[in-house]
Amino acid sequence: MMEIATGILRNIEKSDIKDGTLEIPRNVVIIGKGAFSNQQKLTHIIIPEGVTQINVAAFANCRCLKTVVMPESLLGIGYEAFDMCHNLETAIIPD
């Protein structure tokens, strides 16, 4: 089960991912350090409006991740947030 504390998504479980996709709740403001790391079932993620920060190594080693859609509210992406995501084909980043 997803672990969210004071707007920070800290951790997810494999069971949170349905058909390769994870729906991040709207009350999330920050994706915490390593929150998605090593989630091999994750292929697509749409980060909802309201998320302002993706922290260090948040998606590190998500080797099956292919698509990431980021919101206009995003202000920062931490170091190595997508490290080792070798199959990442599309990253939609707002202007």
Side-chain angles (χ1 to χ4, degrees), residues 1-3 11-17 22 35 39 41:
M1 175 166 263
M2 246 180 265
E3 180 186 342
N11 191 33
I12 67 160
E13 300 292 327
K14 289 179 186 175
S15 60
D16 294 323
I17 301 169
L22 177 81
Q39 293 296 331
K41 290 174 59 179

Side-chain angles (χ1 to χ4, degrees), residues 4-93:
I4 302 170
T6 61
I8 302 172
L9 176 58
R10 298 187 185 279
N11 191 33
I12 67 160
E13 300 292 327
K14 289 179 186 175
S15 60
D16 294 323
I17 301 169
K18 306 292 185 219
D19 296 322
T21 303
L22 177 81
E23 186 172 331
I24 297 175
R26 297 247 176 232
N27 64 331
V28 171
V29 178
I30 296 171
I31 298 176
K33 178 180 178 182
F36 290 84
S37 63
N38 299 306
Q39 293 296 331
Q40 302 309 314
K41 290 174 59 179
L42 186 64
T43 58
H44 305 284
I45 186 99
I46 298 173
I47 301 169
E49 194 62 40
V51 172
T52 59
Q53 179 70 31
I54 299 173
N55 280 346
V56 174
F59 294 91
N61 204 34
C62 290
R63 293 179 184 265
C64 295
L65 186 62
K66 292 182 180 181
T67 305
V68 178
V69 179
M70 299 178 203
E72 288 191 29
S73 58
L74 190 65
L75 300 174
I77 300 173
Y79 182 72
E80 295 183 339
F82 296 94
D83 188 44
M84 304 297 286
C85 294
H86 298 296
N87 288 309
L88 188 59
E89 298 170 352
T90 305
I92 300 173
I93 303 169

